[in-house]
Amino acid sequence: MFRSGLVGFTLHGSLSNYCYQFCEALFPFEDWWLVPAEVAFDQTVWAAVWNSIYFTVLGFLRLESPANIFSELTATFWPTLTAGWKLWPFAHLITYGVILVEQRFLWVDHVELIWVAILSRSSVGNFKFLLQSICRCWLC
């Protein structure tokens, strides 16, 4: 958990912020149809890039060999990408359609708290644990 937090703290915020700026430059909000284009870019290109960075850096922090890192990346790439499609496209309709560029990372962090609670619930299978996770996240 420490390594995952370290990767998120050191890389996710800054890289996501650059991605949001890049998306805004690539798809300037001038018409409603650009929002789905930004969401599609975010959920394909950016999600693939971030997931690859995350699993690669995490593997290096665990002192794994490049072959093991690549093996884990290939095994988890598609399931991780498609799992995110259950929540993130809907959240990013708000991200790119309503939230100002300067506030997007803050909004996404709030949605991530809910996402982590959902993932925790699905791995534990306990609704009480889900509620406790959400309460702890919102109170932190």
Side-chain angles (χ1 to χ4, degrees):
M1 183 159 59
F2 174 75
R3 288 183 282 260
S4 183
L6 182 65
V7 173
F9 181 73
T10 58
L11 295 175
H12 189 249
S14 57
L15 293 177
S16 292
N17 188 48
Y18 288 127
C19 180
Y20 296 141
Q21 298 290 336
F22 178 74
C23 277
E24 192 61 27
L26 190 61
F27 306 104
F29 188 72
E30 297 169 358
D31 242 335
W32 67 268
W33 62 270
L34 290 169
V35 173
E38 279 184 285
V39 172
F41 178 85
D42 184 282
Q43 289 303 294
T44 54
V45 176
W46 170 241
V49 167
W50 169 246
N51 289 340
S52 299
I53 290 170
Y54 175 78
F55 284 109
T56 301
V57 173
L58 206 59
F60 282 124
L61 290 174
R62 288 190 304 243
L63 304 175
E64 293 181 1
S65 70
N68 284 348
I69 293 170
F70 183 74
S71 175
E72 180 185 11
L73 182 60
T74 56
T76 59
F77 181 83
W78 189 249
T80 303
L81 188 67
T82 56
W85 293 346
K86 295 174 183 169
L87 169 73
W88 290 110
F90 307 106
H92 284 320
L93 287 174
I94 297 170
T95 303
Y96 294 111
V98 178
I99 307 295
L100 298 173
V101 177
E102 297 82 14
Q103 302 299 319
R104 286 182 182 164
F105 190 68
L106 180 62
W107 158 253
V108 169
D109 274 352
H110 282 84
V111 176
E112 282 179 352
L113 294 174
I114 296 167
W115 180 238
V116 168
I118 291 169
L119 291 177
S120 298
R121 186 218 180 273
S122 68
S123 67
V124 173
N126 184 341
F127 186 71
K128 183 179 177 185
F129 181 77
L130 171 66
L131 292 177
Q132 290 171 342
S133 298
I134 291 172
C135 289
R136 262 188 257 121
C137 289
W138 286 106
L139 295 174
C140 292

